[in-house]
Amino acid sequence: MQNYTIQRFTLQDIPYIHGLQPADWGDISANFISYCTQDFCYPIKVLHGHHIIGLGCLICYQDSAWLAHIIVSENYRGQGIGKLIVNALIDTAQRKGIRAIHLIATDLGLPVYSKLGFQASCNYLFYDRPQQYTAQPISERLMPATQKHYAQILAMDAEIAGDKRELLIRQHFNHCVVYEADNMVQGYFLPTLGNGPLYAKTEASAEALMELKYSSAAMAVLPEVNTVGLAWLEARGFTRKVYTAIRMTLSTATIWQPQHIFCRIGGNYG
């Protein structure tokens, strides 16, 4: 392997990463600006001379972490740089006492992650909303979240996602919508975070929140095991895309409840 250098990615690097990402990813600059400004994120770059040829980020929650935006320049693939990035991020996570590390694998990255010990735990399926979609009335049980809901939302999020993500959720809490019944939060939706995560413990709360979300959202991403959510989408004419994303985990297996995830955050935050 040639002489490559790994350094912390900074805001000053933003102008130099355009064109690194795969064509179907879109512009990654906003993601890396976000990583640089959040103290639970650890973005890195790989340099060959003075040129950035690889990127990655470690996102740390309380005792778990996610690897995000592992990217190698097309001209440098097949030289072990992806492995170099992943190992550097794993080392950082282990020094911080992280017990479980997750990522979402593309077809390109799957062989690399498998060789490093990551194991597949779930497939995510992608759906598009039909162009002619008729929105339904919105449930009276939906309301803006208030401070009285905060602890319940955090507890539900940790139970369903398997990650303790307060550092992330509190940034978007003021935009959160909850489904409340008998003074209990049964589901919630964060429209300003990533793909707009929607978690629900009951079918009634899931259906009500999905009616709200998909009155405007054009894409849905659900775990394959969430048969209730998939049936709801297909009954309303959503069409499945041909590709899937694979959730993979290294180290301690995480207890989570993918059947209650009616849309994920994204491939970076879980």
Side-chain angles (χ1 to χ4, degrees), residues 111-177:
V112 174
Y113 305 134
S114 297
K115 289 179 182 178
L116 291 171
F118 284 85
Q119 296 184 340
S121 60
C122 181
N123 289 337
Y124 283 94
L125 307 183
F126 294 72
Y127 282 79
D128 282 330
R129 190 184 65 179
Q131 291 186 351
Q132 302 298 323
Y133 180 75
T134 303
Q136 301 299 311
I138 302 303
S139 170
E140 295 292 335
R141 292 192 179 275
L142 297 186
M143 64 190 71
T146 64
Q147 198 59 40
K148 74 172 185 176
H149 301 122
Y150 188 62
Q152 291 186 53
I153 291 170
L154 291 181
M156 182 182 294
D157 187 76
E159 182 180 2
I160 294 175
D163 298 313
K164 297 178 180 178
R165 307 187 292 196
E166 182 177 7
L167 292 173
L168 181 63
I169 290 174
R170 71 185 181 193
Q171 299 177 37
H172 300 268
F173 178 72
N174 288 340
H175 303 279
C176 184
V177 176

Side-chain angles (χ1 to χ4, degrees), residues 58 89-98 101 250-251:
L58 174 72
L89 297 176
I90 290 173
D91 287 346
T92 300
Q94 291 176 340
R95 288 197 303 271
K96 294 181 176 298
I98 297 296
I101 303 172
L250 179 71
S251 302

Side-chain angles (χ1 to χ4, degrees), residues 15-159:
Y16 306 106
I17 64 174
H18 297 288
L20 272 180
Q21 73 276 359
D24 58 344
W25 279 26
D27 187 7
I28 60 173
S29 299
N31 298 105
F32 276 86
I33 291 173
S34 178
Y35 298 152
C36 289
T37 57
Q38 297 181 114
D39 59 9
F40 58 94
C41 297
Y42 302 87
I44 63 173
K45 62 190 175 186
V46 179
L47 297 173
H48 184 208
H50 298 290
H51 299 288
I52 298 176
I53 61 169
L55 300 168
C57 186
L58 174 72
I59 300 168
C60 290
Y61 299 127
Q62 185 168 317
D63 52 11
S64 62
W66 282 78
L67 306 189
H69 284 97
I70 310 298
I71 303 171
V72 177
S73 172
E74 188 173 357
N75 295 332
Y76 287 85
R77 291 174 187 165
Q79 301 180 35
I81 298 171
K83 180 179 179 181
L84 185 70
I85 295 169
V86 173
N87 278 333
L89 297 176
I90 290 173
D91 287 346
T92 300
Q94 291 176 340
R95 288 197 303 271
K96 294 181 176 298
I98 297 296
R99 295 187 297 107
I101 303 172
H102 312 290
L103 56 80
I104 299 295
T106 62
D107 291 339
L108 189 63
L110 182 61
V112 174
Y113 305 134
S114 297
K115 289 179 182 178
L116 291 171
F118 284 85
Q119 296 184 340
S121 60
C122 181
N123 289 337
Y124 283 94
L125 307 183
F126 294 72
Y127 282 79
D128 282 330
R129 190 184 65 179
Q131 291 186 351
Q132 302 298 323
Y133 180 75
T134 303
Q136 301 299 311
I138 302 303
S139 170
E140 295 292 335
R141 292 192 179 275
L142 297 186
M143 64 190 71
T146 64
Q147 198 59 40
K148 74 172 185 176
H149 301 122
Y150 188 62
Q152 291 186 53
I153 291 170
L154 291 181
M156 182 182 294
D157 187 76
E159 182 180 2

Side-chain angles (χ1 to χ4, degrees), residues 133-268:
Y133 180 75
T134 303
Q136 301 299 311
I138 302 303
S139 170
E140 295 292 335
R141 292 192 179 275
L142 297 186
M143 64 190 71
T146 64
Q147 198 59 40
K148 74 172 185 176
H149 301 122
Y150 188 62
Q152 291 186 53
I153 291 170
L154 291 181
M156 182 182 294
D157 187 76
E159 182 180 2
I160 294 175
D163 298 313
K164 297 178 180 178
R165 307 187 292 196
E166 182 177 7
L167 292 173
L168 181 63
I169 290 174
R170 71 185 181 193
Q171 299 177 37
H172 300 268
F173 178 72
N174 288 340
H175 303 279
C176 184
V177 176
V178 298
Y179 180 102
E180 185 181 76
D182 299 323
N183 294 316
M184 295 295 295
V185 173
Q186 295 187 0
Y188 69 91
F189 166 42
L190 290 167
T192 60
L193 176 56
N195 297 145
L198 194 167
Y199 290 3
K201 296 289 284 187
T202 65
E203 287 192 29
S205 61
E207 290 180 1
L209 287 163
M210 291 176 84
E211 288 290 2
L212 176 64
K213 175 179 174 64
Y214 296 113
S215 65
S216 59
M219 184 181 72
V221 187
L222 280 70
E224 190 173 32
V225 297
N226 187 345
T227 55
V228 171
L230 298 180
W232 189 96
L233 294 173
E234 292 172 359
R236 285 154 182 79
F238 282 66
T239 55
R240 180 179 166 184
K241 295 187 176 184
V242 296
Y243 54 84
T244 61
I246 305 168
R247 172 173 165 144
M248 306 186 78
T249 300
L250 179 71
S251 302
T252 305
T254 298
I255 299 174
W256 64 309
Q257 299 174 358
Q259 71 274 19
H260 295 307
I261 298 177
F262 291 83
C263 189
R264 66 172 189 174
I265 298 176
N268 49 356

